[in-house]
Amino acid sequence: MLAHFSNMNDLTTPSPLILRPAQEEVLAYRGGRMAVSAVPGSGKTFTLSLLAARLIGDGRVDLASDQQVLIVTFLNTSVDTFRARIRKRLLETGLSDAGYDVRTLHSLSLEIVRWAGETPGDELIVLDETQSRQTLEASVDGWINDNTHLWEAFLPESNREYSPQMIAGWRNTTVNMAAAFIRAAKNDRFGPEAILMSIRDQYDSPTKEEETNVARSPLMYMLAGIYGRYQAGLARQGGLDYDDLIWRAADLLDHRPDLVNGLQNRWPFVLEDEAQDSIPLQEILLDRLIGPDGNWVRVGDPNQAITSTFTAAHPRFFSKFIDRPDVTAKTLPNSGRSAPLIIGAANAILNWTIDNHPVPEVRQDAFRRQDILPTPPGDAQPNPLDSEADMRIRVYRHREDEELPAVAQLAMEYVRRHPQHTIAILVPTHQMGYIIAQHLDKFKADYDNLLRGSSREREVAAAIHAVLSVLANPLDTKALQATYNALPELGVMESSSEEEAEDASRFQVLLRSIYQPESILFPKEGESIDDNLPTGVATEDSINRLEQLADFLRSSFDLRTLPIDDMVLALADRLFTGQDGQERDLAIAYQIAALMRQWREAQPDWRLPELVIQLQSVAAGRRTLSTMRDDSGYEPKAGRITLATQHSGKGLEWDAVFLVGIDGQWIPSSLESYFMGVNNLLGGDPNAEATAQLSYLMHGEAGIYPGRTATESAHIEVICERLRLLYVGVTRARRFLQISRSRATRSRNREQEAEPATVMGVLYRYLQERRPDDGGNP
């Protein structure tokens, strides 16, 4: 047995640590169940690492028997961070680097399956998110092919002549709905056969005829069928998705007492990080692993739960754990990250929402009452002084024309004034981020782009999409214009002089004036290109450019006889070979080719026009070639701007933060407000309708708010999560915070007013009280 510390202060002797009273209370833990609610910047990773080292040092684990403290965290980078901090503390106190094991939930599940001995760990294939999504899309397409009449029955009766865009949109909705359905089913541990049996039995009827099942619950029948195909697709690959892996591990713990005993002896203490993002399967797994009398510490912040609208996680799970009578509840309320001015803004959001939000369910569920407190005097992490801090609220006339370019420029000006600071622009959506990236590129800013799907990925997809659009429909003048803009060797991406820019603009006018593109691409014998152009419009330079474009496209038409993946690769070779970044661009094109081949195999009836419509989603950034979160770690650099979404900003901090687009479209003020992504099918939110029907089918209750529809309940969750996202965004800033919105915006070339978010008024009043002279609006 390893020698243990003689008293609580032994851990601090080798390296002086100034611990806050709340941290000392957490470190006094000796066993049982404990929940720690930690505010942003409170040092939860630091505290949890110290707790692991103290449990080891106090001899709470038997190293001679290879016992370990198990730390379960969310990301691989967090695994590395915990290992480094625990190792450092153990070595500082003269202890050996042993007695702990740090794992993600997935690596823990894999280890449990391996320990069970039923499937060797090196033979188990676990598909990543991209592979799982591809399998799901193939399953959806297969079901649609075999049940087209059932699938189309969900579309509006008034419009039975469906456009390719409508079909593609309903197909994407079906994929997203199936993903939500399968995720919910697996977290409840219901397989497709159990769901189909419930459909058959829901009226206590002995009939099992397929037609009756469809009539009883058409949506459940479709989604259960897709679920079954998805599981069969995983089985053909010999693999599991992440939820399957956790489910299998939990089932093993349910049915193998010997396995549970062995693992409890190996890991007598379990410390769980980021508990606010725990999914039901995770809670089941850890609860079975630890047992009713085991030692379980859960650390998280329900007020930073920002994944509940697109995962199975929800802050209510951790909040219920905190409130359990058998759980000791502690808090880490002190944060030295932000200036008191900024801390006060975050607290104002939280308290107004709990006390005065107009939607009762939002008041109840958005936040847990826990103010952020500054650090006490003498703390190792003192808060930045208010005298060195600033907070501003800016209102612009128009988002795309004014707010986004202005924020890009303001961020650059901040860098010039404070080169020693870190700076971030945090956006609500990727599309908004792409526009800001264009302005930062135009200004030649030094910045790190953390948006999902690189800008180059979209540029390569846009170039391929543009040319394929012409090949699919040579009569499409817009496709001709897009091709010119996208082709690197032909388009004027950035003019070096005003004269060149004017020439490019005139050439665009010329392209728009072409009413018969086929006469340009394939002029009749004896005719030249200028014979088919409006008189007096084309200059000699314009005609030369048009001839270049036409020559390129004419030669590309020969590629149409190739299979779609070969066509894409051959086209990419012509587009990108010999250019800077050739290997990178061809690698992206290879991914595009593989994706389009998969679409073609899943939908044998699709031809080039339908495939081109699908590729548009990649070119626009709505779909990415890899949906895996970048888990390689990121540290902001001084004097360099970080561009990221509010979601991906969690876990990071900067000296200065610009939050953009914080209006009523992003944070709806009530259930009567506009909600992004509302679908006219299935009540407005198909995902919510699908999961509510599943819950009612399997549990007898829909799992929605009393007196609310499934869509209304989903919209309540949206409001709650967007408010928490704002809270997270505000608490990323140390010294400077700017929050901006616009009165108008442009969507799909349509101008529309943007109502203010009610919470912005709360922040404005807060600034008026703190700084009555400027009100935060310089």
Side-chain angles (χ1 to χ4, degrees):
M1 179 75 71
L2 181 69
H4 62 272
F5 298 117
S6 59
N7 58 61
M8 284 289 293
N9 293 321
D10 281 348
L11 187 61
T12 65
T13 302
S15 178
L17 292 174
I18 303 175
L19 296 176
R20 301 163 191 159
Q23 291 173 324
E24 286 284 13
E25 287 188 28
V26 171
L27 295 179
Y29 169 81
R30 286 296 175 268
R33 281 165 161 74
M34 181 169 73
V36 182
S37 183
V39 302
S42 60
K44 65 179 180 61
T45 302
F46 167 78
T47 306
L48 206 56
S49 299
L50 284 184
L51 177 58
R54 181 162 287 185
L55 290 170
I56 297 167
D58 281 352
R60 310 295 293 184
V61 295
D62 185 356
L63 298 187
S65 301
D66 295 325
Q67 286 189 336
Q68 298 171 311
V69 176
L70 174 65
I71 298 93
V72 181
T73 188
F74 189 62
L75 296 174
N76 288 323
T77 48
S78 299
V79 170
D80 296 336
T81 300
F82 272 111
R83 284 175 179 163
R85 292 189 176 187
I86 297 171
R87 180 187 304 114
K88 179 176 183 290
R89 196 62 201 153
L90 289 174
L91 296 178
E92 285 177 345
T93 53
L95 301 174
S96 61
D97 182 21
Y100 62 95
D101 190 3
V102 188
R103 294 182 176 274
T104 64
L105 177 63
H106 300 132
S107 71
L108 171 62
S109 301
L110 192 61
E111 179 69 359
I112 292 172
V113 173
R114 186 191 68 78
W115 249 58
E118 297 185 355
T119 304
D122 56 357
E123 295 180 7
L124 188 64
I125 300 173
V126 181
L127 278 65
D128 63 27
E129 292 179 16
T130 301
Q131 294 167 317
S132 299
R133 183 73 175 191
Q134 291 171 348
T135 303
L136 175 61
E137 292 191 356
S139 303
V140 168
D141 293 335
W143 193 93
I144 291 172
N145 279 337
D146 293 343
N147 302 273
T148 303
H149 66 292
L150 297 177
W151 182 68
E152 291 185 348
F154 289 97
L155 293 170
E157 289 283 347
S158 59
N159 185 10
R160 287 302 184 187
E161 293 297 326
Y162 305 125
S163 66
Q165 289 81 1
M166 177 179 287
I167 292 296
W170 174 224
R171 183 259 185 193
N172 290 338
T173 297
T174 304
V175 171
N176 293 332
M177 188 165 47
F181 175 90
I182 293 171
R183 182 170 60 240
K186 290 189 175 184
N187 271 274
D188 270 342
R189 298 200 282 181
F190 292 127
E193 285 303 321
I195 296 170
L196 287 170
M197 184 173 292
S198 291
I199 295 173
R200 290 193 292 264
D201 296 344
Q202 64 178 326
Y203 296 116
D204 295 322
S205 170
T207 180
K208 295 185 179 181
E209 295 180 2
E210 182 181 44
E211 293 79 1
T212 304
N213 295 331
V214 174
R216 286 172 175 172
S217 187
L219 183 62
M220 293 296 95
Y221 178 79
M222 176 179 78
L223 294 175
I226 293 171
Y227 183 10
R229 286 174 181 258
Y230 173 68
Q231 292 303 108
L234 295 178
R236 283 194 297 271
Q237 300 173 69
L240 306 172
D241 65 14
Y242 286 136
D243 285 337
D244 284 331
L245 176 63
I246 305 169
W247 184 353
R248 177 175 291 191
D251 274 355
L252 286 169
L253 296 177
D254 275 340
H255 299 100
R256 292 277 304 275
D258 60 316
L259 177 64
V260 174
N261 290 335
L263 292 171
Q264 287 178 350
N265 183 65
R266 176 180 173 182
W267 297 314
F269 287 86
V270 177
L271 314 182
E272 180 189 358
D273 185 33
E274 301 289 0
Q276 79 279 350
D277 292 325
S278 175
I279 61 175
L281 272 176
Q282 178 175 339
E283 284 202 338
I284 292 169
L285 174 69
L286 294 180
D287 187 67
R288 303 296 190 274
L289 174 64
I290 293 158
D293 300 318
N295 305 307
W296 187 6
V297 177
R298 308 188 72 188
V299 180
D301 183 3
N303 297 334
Q304 294 188 81
I306 55 174
T307 64
S308 61
T309 59
F310 56 90
T311 72
H314 198 284
R316 71 168 67 96
F317 303 136
F318 183 44
S319 287
K320 286 181 179 178
F321 183 86
I322 295 173
D323 295 332
R324 279 170 46 173
D326 63 332
V327 171
T328 300
K330 300 292 183 181
T331 62
L332 291 177
N334 303 101
S335 173
R337 173 184 295 166
S338 306
L341 173 68
I342 295 171
I343 287 177
N347 290 337
I349 294 169
L350 181 148
N351 288 303
W352 170 80
T353 302
I354 294 173
D355 295 332
N356 296 306
H357 196 281
V359 180
E361 296 89 345
V362 174
R363 294 199 297 269
Q364 172 184 319
D365 284 353
F367 291 105
R368 186 178 182 90
R369 180 89 70 180
Q370 182 171 329
D371 280 2
I372 305 172
L373 303 179
T375 55
D379 193 85
Q381 187 189 16
N383 298 86
L385 300 175
D386 270 353
S387 59
E388 302 170 357
D390 195 10
M391 177 178 170
R392 303 177 183 180
I393 295 176
R394 288 183 181 267
V395 180
Y396 295 91
R397 291 189 299 271
H398 195 281
R399 178 183 298 157
E400 288 74 20
D401 295 344
E402 187 174 337
E403 180 184 2
L404 302 186
V407 168
Q409 198 156 22
L410 285 171
M412 291 183 60
E413 291 174 1
Y414 188 97
V415 170
R416 284 194 288 269
R417 292 197 307 270
H418 307 282
Q420 76 281 15
H421 285 183
T422 54
I423 305 97
I425 301 174
L426 301 183
V427 296
T429 66
H430 284 86
Q431 188 58 41
M432 207 177 297
Y434 300 150
I435 297 173
I436 287 186
Q438 292 174 357
H439 291 295
L440 291 173
D441 290 338
K442 179 181 177 182
F443 298 146
K444 301 186 183 304
D446 290 328
Y447 73 104
D448 295 322
N449 190 336
L450 304 190
L451 300 175
R452 183 187 64 204
S454 68
S455 58
R456 190 56 187 169
E457 179 181 298
R458 298 192 306 278
E459 289 167 1
V460 170
I464 294 173
H465 174 266
V467 179
L468 291 181
S469 296
V470 176
L471 302 188
N473 182 8
L475 305 183
D476 189 346
T477 304
K478 290 184 178 179
L480 197 65
Q481 297 172 40
T483 299
Y484 173 76
N485 289 333
L487 291 181
E489 69 271 35
L490 295 178
V492 180
M493 306 304 292
E494 185 175 343
S495 299
S496 59
S497 71
E498 187 175 326
E499 182 179 353
E500 288 178 2
E502 290 177 358
D503 288 343
S505 178
R506 284 195 294 268
F507 187 71
Q508 291 290 351
V509 173
L510 174 64
L511 288 177
R512 288 194 293 271
S513 71
I514 298 174
Y515 294 104
Q516 293 181 314
E518 69 276 14
S519 65
I520 303 298
L521 296 173
F522 302 103
K524 296 177 182 178
E525 187 175 351
E527 287 185 344
S528 63
I529 283 183
D530 55 332
D531 292 332
N532 294 293
L533 295 174
T535 304
V537 174
T539 64
E540 182 178 350
D541 178 68
S542 295
I543 293 174
N544 289 336
R545 292 190 197 194
L546 195 53
E547 286 177 343
Q548 277 186 287
L549 179 60
D551 287 344
F552 179 90
L553 290 172
R554 274 195 293 271
S555 61
S556 299
F557 272 90
D558 295 337
L559 304 178
R560 292 197 301 176
T561 60
L562 298 174
I564 184 61
D565 52 336
D566 291 339
M567 186 192 310
V568 170
L569 292 175
L571 181 59
D573 187 62
R574 301 189 61 212
L575 286 169
F576 307 117
T577 297
Q579 295 193 40
D580 292 339
Q582 167 186 320
E583 292 184 4
R584 172 201 58 197
D585 293 346
L586 290 177
I588 294 172
Y590 182 86
Q591 291 179 282
I592 293 172
L595 184 61
M596 297 191 77
R597 181 183 68 245
Q598 184 184 52
W599 291 338
R600 181 70 175 82
E601 290 172 350
Q603 291 281 7
D605 293 336
W606 279 7
R607 296 295 179 261
L608 190 55
E610 290 80 14
L611 294 169
V612 166
I613 290 173
Q614 291 297 316
L615 184 57
Q616 169 61 27
S617 62
V618 179
R622 295 189 299 272
R623 180 202 299 262
T624 60
L625 300 176
S626 174
T627 59
M628 291 293 292
R629 174 175 176 166
D630 182 7
D631 198 16
S632 59
Y634 173 76
E635 288 295 330
K637 304 174 186 66
R640 188 172 177 87
I641 299 168
T642 303
L643 176 61
T645 62
Q646 292 177 27
H647 275 98
S648 59
K650 185 177 179 293
L652 298 171
E653 58 184 70
W654 295 268
D655 292 297
V657 171
F658 294 82
L659 297 176
V660 302
I662 309 300
D663 57 24
Q665 291 185 357
W666 180 242
I667 308 178
S669 299
S670 71
L671 294 180
E672 289 71 40
S673 302
Y674 167 81
F675 284 79
M676 294 180 180
V678 169
N679 196 307
N680 291 329
L681 300 171
L682 301 174
D685 191 318
N687 293 1
E689 185 63 37
T691 54
Q693 285 194 29
L694 175 64
S695 179
Y696 187 81
L697 176 68
M698 306 306 291
H699 298 293
E701 57 90 20
I704 59 179
Y705 287 103
R708 302 291 193 183
T709 66
T711 291
E712 287 173 337
S713 296
H715 287 176
I716 289 169
E717 298 294 354
V718 168
I719 296 173
C720 291
E721 186 162 297
R722 299 282 170 77
L723 286 166
R724 290 194 293 267
L725 265 172
L726 177 60
Y727 176 88
V728 167
V730 167
T731 55
R732 299 311 93 190
R734 295 192 192 107
R735 295 174 172 84
F736 176 84
L737 174 66
Q738 175 175 300
I739 306 175
S740 62
R741 72 170 183 91
S742 296
R743 294 189 176 94
T745 184
R746 184 182 305 112
S747 177
R748 297 180 181 178
N749 295 321
R750 294 176 59 184
E751 301 291 334
Q752 55 186 9
E753 293 184 1
E755 293 294 325
T758 305
V759 69
M760 289 289 280
V762 175
L763 291 173
Y764 185 75
R765 289 192 294 274
Y766 164 77
L767 280 183
Q768 283 185 315
E769 293 170 1
R770 289 293 298 262
R771 295 182 172 179
D773 293 338
D774 66 19
N777 197 8

